[in-house]
């Protein structure tokens, strides 16, 4: 189950990265680089913090080939889409990647017997870091820092759901899916309902 979640998260974030790179009119090298960094950034940081070797994409070379395939096939298909639908696809894949990577990060931290707060925060970091790298490479302020619609908060709550269910003795697969679903669902709801986190400190 964790392997399936990892593959799905890589695909989702790779697609969000290549959409942003295509919108910036990058060449094929730029598109691959942004897709690769977006797909593997969070998982790489997770592995480094947990001292896991080899890194996931080094151990599973097929993941790299998967991102390369998406890089070659994705942009021509995106060219057939209207701009509005490309934006929606990017938001959807970003939300899916956020939830899946947050759940995988928390699950790996639980397996390493980390303290609960570390488990949750590591899940959040794993979920948001790929998107941060994507936005930085595309010369944008990372969404997690300037978009007042909940982003990292969604991953934070999703990780607590995963931890709570695991502590209650729920099935491993159910805890993973519930945590990922909570994060992704809250992010999609925040986008659809235009939920906003107020500025801090509040503006007068």
């Amino acid at each position: 189950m964790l392997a399936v979640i990892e593959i799905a998260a890589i695909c989702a974030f790779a697609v969000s990265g290549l959409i942003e790179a295509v919108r910036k009119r990058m060449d094929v090298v730029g598109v691959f680089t942004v897709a690769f960094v977006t797909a593997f950034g969070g998982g790489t940081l997770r592995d480094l913090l947990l001292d896991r070797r080899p890194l996931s994409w080094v151990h599973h070379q097929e993941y790299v080939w998967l991102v390369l395939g998406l890089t070659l096939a994705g942009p021509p298909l995106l060219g057939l889409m209207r701009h509005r639908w490309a934006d929606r696809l990017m938001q959807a894949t970003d939300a899916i990647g956020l939830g899946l990577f947050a759940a995988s990060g928390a699950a790996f931290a639980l397996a390493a017997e980390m303290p609960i707060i570390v488990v949750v925060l590591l899940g959040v970091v794993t979920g948001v870091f790929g998107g941060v790298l994507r936005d930085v490479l595309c010369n944008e302020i990372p969404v997690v820092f300037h978009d007042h619609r909940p982003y990292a908060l969604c991953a934070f709550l999703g990780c607590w759901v995963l931890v709570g269910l695991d502590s209650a003795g729920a099935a491993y697969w159910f805890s993973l899916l519930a945590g990922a679903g909570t994060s992704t669902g809250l992010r999609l709801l925040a986008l659809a309902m235009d939920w906003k986190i107020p500025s801090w400190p509040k503006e007068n």
Side-chain angles (χ1 to χ4, degrees), residues 41-171:
T44 297
L45 181 59
R46 173 201 66 207
D47 292 346
L48 291 174
L49 292 174
L50 291 176
D51 198 24
R52 297 181 71 246
R53 297 291 190 280
L55 302 177
S56 61
W57 61 270
V58 175
H59 184 61
H60 297 282
Q61 299 177 31
E62 60 273 19
Y63 295 171
V64 181
W65 286 108
L66 179 60
V67 173
L68 180 59
L70 288 172
T71 300
L72 296 176
L77 294 177
L78 289 173
L80 301 176
M81 298 179 64
R82 295 182 179 179
H83 181 73
R84 180 182 63 181
W85 289 108
D87 286 343
R88 291 180 179 178
L89 178 61
M90 178 183 171
Q91 290 178 343
T93 54
D94 186 64
I96 292 169
L98 173 72
L100 293 174
F101 263 130
S104 75
F108 278 114
L110 276 174
E113 300 182 347
M114 294 292 170
I116 295 301
I117 190 61
V118 174
V119 169
V120 172
L121 292 180
L122 190 57
V124 173
V125 169
T126 305
V128 306
F129 194 64
V132 169
L133 293 178
R134 174 198 65 215
D135 294 341
V136 169
L137 287 177
C138 293
N139 199 30
E140 299 283 349
I141 299 174
V143 171
V144 67
F145 298 139
H146 80 91
D147 187 357
H148 289 282
R149 292 172 296 187
Y151 188 81
L153 181 60
C154 299
F156 184 76
L157 295 174
C159 289
W160 277 113
V161 169
L162 188 156
V163 168
L165 289 173
D166 182 77
S167 299

